[in-house]
């Protein structure tokens, strides 16, 4: 399986974990929510869906009411097919979600992995974020070395383009640093709370509501930005 088809499989399983969808709706979600798939067509999506069905990770179901399905048949149209994740498909997605190898922090894959961070464990999130940061720091070092060697031979516009590329990478590294610090702060806060005994106070004996405890995936989430916008992790900032 190629890298591109592998990340498409991951994205399809992840989206269908949220709810069953028919092919058109699924392609729309891939295009709008996961911008890296804007260039994908039905010619790429449906072979992937058929493979997932053959593997037992998806099942096909009629997506229309019986009378609508009959009307579609009489009109010579194909009734819409809805794809639903199976129990085996959920296990497959969980398996892919736990992967933290180099593919997880490459330009194309990282944006898709990040889109599903809400369903990813903290340890896996940390490994992916740190791997992405290391990869970009290596890229930034190479870009700086290349610019130092060729600066005198570049015209003003090419030089400005090189600087713009470097600034984009530097901006994403800063963003990753903020995310990593936030994840660590959340983990430390959780561990500190578990270790420190609670002293009785005015609220002793009060019944705790659902909002008094951290829920999985929330503590240590993305930091709030007061200004500006963070970079799109799916952007290919430099080659």
């Amino acid at each position: 399986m190629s890298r591109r088809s592998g990340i498409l499989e991951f994205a399809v399983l992840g989206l269908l974990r949220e709810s069953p969808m028919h092919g058109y709706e699924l392609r729309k979600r891939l295009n709008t929510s996961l911008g890296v798939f804007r260039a994908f067509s039905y010619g790429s999506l449906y072979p992937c869906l058929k493979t997932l069905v053959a593997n037992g990770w998806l099942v096909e179901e009629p997506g229309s009411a019986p009378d609508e399905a009959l009307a579609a048949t009489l009109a010579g149209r194909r009734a819409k097919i809805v794809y639903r994740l199976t129990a085996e498909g959920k296990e497959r997605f969980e398996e892919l979600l736990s992967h933290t190898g180099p593919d997880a922090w490459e330009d194309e894959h990282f944006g898709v992995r990040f889109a599903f961070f809400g369903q990813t464990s903290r340890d896996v999130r940390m490994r992916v974020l740190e791997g992405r940061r290391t990869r970009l720091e290596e890229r930034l070092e190479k870009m700086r070395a290349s610019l130092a060697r060729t600066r005198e031979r570049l015209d003003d516009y090419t030089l400005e383009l090189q600087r713009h590329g470097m600034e984009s990478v530097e901006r994403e590294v800063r963003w990753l640093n903020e995310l990593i610090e936030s994840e660590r702060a959340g983990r430390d806060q959780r561990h500190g709370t578990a270790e420190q005994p609670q002293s009785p106070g005015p609220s002793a004996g009060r019944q705790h509501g659902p909002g008094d405890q951290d829920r999985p995936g929330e503590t240590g989430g993305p930091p709030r930005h007061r200004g500006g916008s963070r970079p799109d992790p799916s952007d290919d900032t430099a080659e």
Side-chain angles (χ1 to χ4, degrees), residues 41-173:
S41 64
Y42 285 111
S44 300
L45 176 58
Y46 280 101
C48 176
L49 291 171
K50 294 298 182 183
T51 299
L52 297 179
V53 170
N55 289 339
W57 298 332
L58 301 182
V59 292
E60 297 177 331
E61 299 175 339
S64 303
D67 55 340
E68 293 178 353
L70 178 60
T73 301
L74 295 175
R77 303 192 309 270
R78 292 182 56 186
K80 290 182 179 179
I81 296 175
V82 170
Y83 296 89
R84 180 175 58 82
L85 204 62
T86 64
E88 293 78 8
K90 292 178 182 178
E91 291 179 1
R92 173 60 175 170
F93 180 67
E94 293 291 342
E95 176 189 346
L96 295 175
L97 205 61
S98 67
H99 288 179
T100 58
D103 281 357
W105 52 74
E106 293 293 347
D107 290 338
E108 185 175 89
H109 289 206
F110 175 73
V112 180
R113 288 300 303 268
F114 190 84
F116 293 100
F117 262 22
Q119 305 176 46
T120 306
S121 68
R122 183 190 304 277
D123 290 342
V124 172
R125 292 198 305 261
M126 284 291 291
R127 288 196 292 270
V128 173
L129 290 171
E130 290 174 341
R132 176 65 175 173
R133 180 176 63 180
T134 298
R135 179 59 50 87
L136 290 183
E137 288 174 340
E138 293 172 351
R139 179 184 300 173
L140 191 57
E141 183 178 350
K142 291 179 181 178
M143 294 173 71
R144 287 169 176 163
S146 175
L147 184 60
R149 290 194 307 268
T150 60
R151 180 186 298 271
E152 300 300 327
R153 300 195 300 270
L154 300 177
D155 61 64
D156 291 343
Y157 294 102
T158 305
L159 183 61
E160 191 62 30
L161 184 62
Q162 294 290 322
R163 288 173 176 166
H164 174 69
M166 288 177 56
E167 289 173 358
S168 298
V169 178
E170 290 169 344
R171 185 168 60 250
E172 186 170 348
V173 170

